[in-house]
Amino acid sequence: MEKSFKEIRIVDNFYQSSAFFPMPLCLIGTLNEKGDMTSFGAYSLVFPYYIAGKDFYAMVLECRNNSNTCKGLLRHGKCTINFLPYSNKIFKEHVRLGFPGDTPEEKMKNFKFTVADGKSMENNDGEIYPKIIKEALQVFECTWVKELDHAENDKVEEEYNGPYHDFNGITSKYGAHFILKIDHILLKEKYYNSIVNGVTRSNFCPLPSNWGYRDSKNFWCSPFRKSHAECIPNKEVDLTSIKYAANRLNTDVTFTDDALKMLVKVPRPFLKLVLQGCVNWANENNVKVITPIEMNEINDKRSKEKKKGK
């Protein structure tokens, strides 16, 4: 083994006990037992799960199975994931809300942020949804996909003795995982505009990183610094390879050479996926021949968003 490294023992909660692991920092809102109040808990073990090729997009949340968040999801199946900017005051509130053992009422007694209705409540179908945090820069509104891994019968218990699920619901004596379908992604206008119109160093969303490590006294977090952008390597796929991939698609949609030339910078592993996406768009729009005109419409995946923003 390289002499500059030393192996450390892997223990429970290895990501914060045996390593330094960069993660998001967020507050997850769930409903209390009666469903009449939203309680927030601090989390970092929440990551993208389904990102493409499924009927929906999803996050995965890992949490203690006796936490308020776990109980809220088991009872009501809904949550909000709130990403806030960094300040010492905001981070202090994250640490307070991350302390285990307090009831939802105790947690919310001196809550430092403003709660508001999200998009789900605007589309209210008679159900009650967890609130979002007004000061957040970005919010995901989610629904637990309880049917995955046959977790639909899981309920709140004093103690869990198995059998346990593999990846959804109650997964161990102490832990739980939740596959969360993303219903809505909400962004403050400045950062909505940055994604739709182009991200720069000055309009990049300033979210902090939780570095995972904690000791007996402290949590550690890094504030956001100016982002650094590095250009993607300028590699091109030859037109012959693109035509070959296009001809192998099971479709009656065809591409002109000029349209295919617009795909020369697509990395080879993603070429088939991109071509199939073009075909799907063509089928949805009753197009049989894709020219550069159609490619421009397809490539501008934010065109509808831009029109909405005008």
Side-chain angles (χ1 to χ4, degrees):
M1 186 180 80
E2 163 58 42
K3 292 188 178 355
S4 61
F5 288 95
K6 292 192 71 172
E7 183 180 16
I8 194 168
R9 187 166 63 97
I10 303 172
V11 298
D12 287 354
N13 296 322
F14 65 89
Y15 66 93
Q16 63 182 20
S17 302
S18 304
F20 302 93
F21 197 80
M23 298 180 290
L25 183 66
C26 58
L27 294 177
I28 295 185
T30 51
L31 295 169
N32 66 352
E33 185 171 0
K34 294 180 180 178
D36 59 1
M37 183 187 75
T38 302
S39 172
F40 292 90
Y43 284 90
S44 288
L45 294 176
V46 54
F47 309 99
Y49 191 73
Y50 289 156
I51 62 169
K54 289 284 190 178
D55 293 334
F56 59 92
Y57 302 101
M59 303 289 286
V60 59
L61 165 68
E62 304 171 44
C63 62
R64 291 178 295 105
N65 60 27
N66 63 351
S67 65
N68 295 321
T69 301
C70 178
K71 293 174 182 177
L73 281 165
L74 288 175
R75 289 178 176 131
H76 305 288
K78 307 178 191 73
C79 72
T80 62
I81 306 173
N82 302 263
F83 299 85
L84 283 88
Y86 181 87
S87 73
N88 289 342
K89 181 179 178 181
I90 289 174
F91 183 50
K92 186 174 183 178
E93 183 70 345
H94 276 79
V95 173
R96 183 185 77 83
L97 293 168
F99 193 83
D102 291 341
T103 66
E105 290 72 22
E106 289 169 336
K107 278 183 177 290
M108 297 304 292
K109 185 176 180 180
N110 297 306
F111 191 60
K112 302 293 192 242
F113 307 118
T114 309
V115 297
D117 288 339
K119 185 71 174 180
S120 294
M121 277 299 292
E122 182 181 304
N123 299 336
N124 191 355
D125 52 7
E127 293 191 54
I128 301 298
Y129 293 85
K131 301 283 189 180
I132 67 173
I133 296 176
K134 187 176 180 180
E135 291 84 354
L137 304 183
Q138 174 179 272
V139 180
F140 291 7
E141 294 186 280
C142 300
T143 301
W144 177 36
V145 190
K146 62 179 69 175
E147 297 78 15
L148 289 176
D149 206 11
H150 306 292
E152 61 268 20
N153 294 320
D154 285 7
K155 58 183 185 296
V156 176
E157 304 279 3
E158 286 296 321
E159 188 174 347
Y160 298 96
N161 295 308
Y164 305 115
H165 300 293
D166 292 322
F167 63 89
N168 193 34
I170 304 301
T171 50
S172 72
K173 186 176 180 62
Y174 305 111
H177 288 63
F178 293 96
I179 309 303
L180 303 170
K181 175 181 177 289
I182 302 174
D183 299 316
H184 308 288
I185 295 179
L186 311 179
L187 289 164
K188 284 292 173 64
E189 185 174 4
K190 176 179 179 179
Y191 307 112
Y192 168 94
N193 289 336
S194 71
I195 289 179
V196 172
N197 299 319
V199 175
T200 65
R201 289 190 69 193
S202 62
N203 67 14
F204 199 95
C205 194
L207 297 177
S209 295
N210 175 8
W211 283 97
Y213 179 77
R214 61 169 294 186
D215 52 32
S216 60
K217 294 174 58 179
N218 300 305
F219 280 93
W220 296 79
C221 184
S222 294
F224 177 81
R225 303 296 186 197
K226 284 287 185 182
S227 58
H228 170 76
E230 186 68 29
C231 290
I232 297 171
N234 188 20
K235 296 183 179 180
E236 296 186 355
V237 180
D238 66 274
L239 183 59
T240 303
S241 298
I242 300 174
K243 291 177 72 172
Y244 177 75
N247 290 335
R248 294 192 67 185
L249 297 174
N250 184 22
T251 179
D252 58 354
V253 175
T254 60
F255 296 78
T256 67
D257 284 358
D258 286 339
L260 292 176
K261 287 177 183 177
M262 298 174 71
L263 300 178
V264 294
K265 293 188 178 181
V266 174
R268 194 180 299 272
F270 304 121
L271 186 55
K272 182 179 178 181
L273 181 65
V274 171
L275 286 166
Q276 187 61 56
C278 294
V279 169
N280 294 343
W281 178 92
N283 289 331
E284 291 170 3
N285 292 274
N286 297 315
V287 172
K288 292 300 181 185
V289 180
I290 297 178
T291 72
I293 294 174
E294 287 75 27
M295 288 297 292
N296 282 327
E297 292 187 48
I298 295 168
N299 289 337
D300 189 6
K301 62 182 180 180
R302 301 292 179 186
S303 60
K304 291 183 180 179
E305 292 287 309
K306 289 180 179 179
K307 290 176 183 176
K308 286 181 184 178
K310 289 181 180 178

